Amino acid sequence: MLNLALAPAMDVTQECVRRRFRHATCRACADVCPAQVFSFTDNGVLLEESRCIACGDCLFVCPTDAISGIAPRKRFRMSDTLVGPFTARAPTINELLLWHAVYGVRFISLEAEQFPAWMAALAGLNLVLRRRGEAAWGFRPWQKNALNAARRALIHIPQEEVKAAAVPTGIRMQRRVFAVISESAIALDAQKCVLCGACWRSCTEKAIRFEQNALVIEAARCTGCGGCEAVCQHRAIEVTTKEAEAAITTYPAYAATCSLCQRSFWSFHPDQKQCALCLQHLHGMRNPDCC
């Protein structure tokens, strides 16, 4: 019996940082899309599904897994080797990194002259792997029967050696499988920060959090969405793309009671006597005894 159910429409869900925060500037999906499916307005994200070529590249760069209604491409592997048929468009380095980490792929079997885009992607991948101290991918002799084997797999004839699969997508997955590396740098200006809590409440990855009387920044968790920048009214935080060894930075904080409004607040300075709001009112307008 034929399954006539319609596939779900492509969508950018409310997980998208641009849908959550008006001043967010993430454009990862638009920057990687070869078909210009994504565009941005003051109200969020627009997409033209009719343009989509189903390459799936956007899935591998979205920092919040916000894109639905599209699946990553299936590819074919024989043990630790990617084999044909190969798509004309090469995968992103992000996707190849996940084949490396999730399935342990270390080789590729193709005719280099026929797939220059794949060769360029492989060169980029190996640069990243060497930088991270990982084994680079090599070549296995191109096998003419690999194409036939992959086609048999496509029509569901059992083929023990060749397996069709797709890798899990997203920057979150990359952060999990490459946990010893951070791909984003989070810079905090403690002179501007007032510990209002907007950044750590907006961070879905817990890369910025407040615990044990301290502001903790764990860049290895950051997916680079920029939500923390979008909500910081004091421009005290900046997220940039930078690959480095994973590190945790801790900023001790001190509990205090404001001498003017008598409200509790946190400060980086143990001798601070007034909260950030009262410091802005130089004439004591927030003092309950004023006037």
Side-chain angles (χ1 to χ4, degrees):
M1 182 176 179
L2 292 176
N3 182 5
L4 299 179
L6 295 176
M10 186 180 179
D11 191 20
V12 177
T13 70
Q14 292 301 319
E15 293 297 313
C16 174
V17 68
R18 278 187 176 260
R19 292 198 184 278
R20 293 177 62 211
F21 306 118
R22 179 179 178 182
H23 298 292
T25 59
C26 177
R27 50 176 298 113
C29 56
D31 286 344
V32 79
C33 180
Q36 299 181 330
V37 171
F38 304 93
S39 59
F40 307 109
T41 69
D42 291 339
N43 297 321
V45 185
L46 297 178
L47 59 87
E48 294 185 57
E49 188 177 2
S50 61
R51 289 176 173 262
C52 182
I53 61 174
C55 66
D57 289 358
C58 56
L59 301 175
F60 291 95
V61 298
C62 181
T64 59
D65 295 336
I67 301 171
S68 65
I70 182 173
R73 285 188 182 269
K74 285 189 175 182
R75 307 195 189 276
F76 302 92
R77 69 182 178 93
M78 187 182 304
S79 183
D80 62 353
T81 305
L82 282 185
V83 299
F86 295 101
T87 53
R89 179 173 174 78
T92 62
I93 292 176
N94 283 358
E95 180 183 348
L96 292 175
L97 283 169
L98 289 171
W99 281 102
H100 179 92
V102 176
Y103 287 111
V105 172
R106 297 294 183 271
F107 297 92
I108 191 165
S109 178
L110 52 65
E111 279 191 303
E113 296 79 6
Q114 291 189 9
F115 298 98
W118 278 78
M119 295 299 296
L122 183 64
L125 169 70
N126 281 341
L127 286 175
V128 174
L129 291 175
R130 291 191 181 100
R131 197 164 60 236
R132 297 183 180 185
E134 298 272 343
W137 284 23
F139 287 94
R140 287 262 168 83
W142 180 66
Q143 302 173 9
K144 292 184 178 180
N145 64 347
L147 181 63
N148 294 332
R151 284 177 174 170
R152 286 198 293 272
L154 282 173
I155 59 174
H156 308 292
I157 294 176
Q159 177 67 29
E160 186 175 344
E161 294 83 6
V162 175
K163 299 182 184 300
V167 287
T169 61
I171 301 297
R172 285 174 175 166
M173 176 56 67
Q174 284 200 54
R175 297 292 77 245
R176 285 196 286 270
V177 298
F178 291 102
V180 299
I181 295 291
S182 64
E183 295 179 333
S184 299
I186 305 174
L188 176 74
D189 188 338
Q191 297 301 315
K192 295 180 179 180
C193 177
V194 299
L195 288 168
C196 66
C199 60
W200 68 76
R201 290 187 179 92
S202 70
C203 183
T204 56
E205 313 308 313
K206 303 299 182 185
I208 306 173
R209 55 189 185 273
F210 193 84
E211 59 185 22
Q212 298 179 351
N213 296 352
L215 179 64
V216 179
I217 295 180
E218 188 174 356
R221 289 175 173 259
C222 179
T223 60
C225 74
C228 55
E229 288 183 289
V231 299
C232 182
Q233 300 181 40
H234 306 280
R235 300 186 182 277
I237 200 160
E238 181 181 16
V239 179
T240 56
T241 301
K242 182 180 179 180
E243 189 174 286
E245 292 185 6
I248 299 176
T249 306
T250 302
Y251 298 85
Y254 303 90
T257 300
C258 181
S259 60
L260 285 180
C261 68
Q262 306 305 312
R263 294 185 179 182
S264 298
F265 69 97
W266 290 96
S267 171
F268 290 127
H269 309 287
D271 56 349
Q272 187 168 326
K273 303 303 181 184
Q274 295 178 13
C275 68
L277 288 175
C278 287
L279 284 172
Q280 294 177 12
H281 293 273
L282 302 181
H283 304 288
M285 295 174 63
R286 282 176 54 83
N287 188 336
D289 298 325
C290 180
C291 302

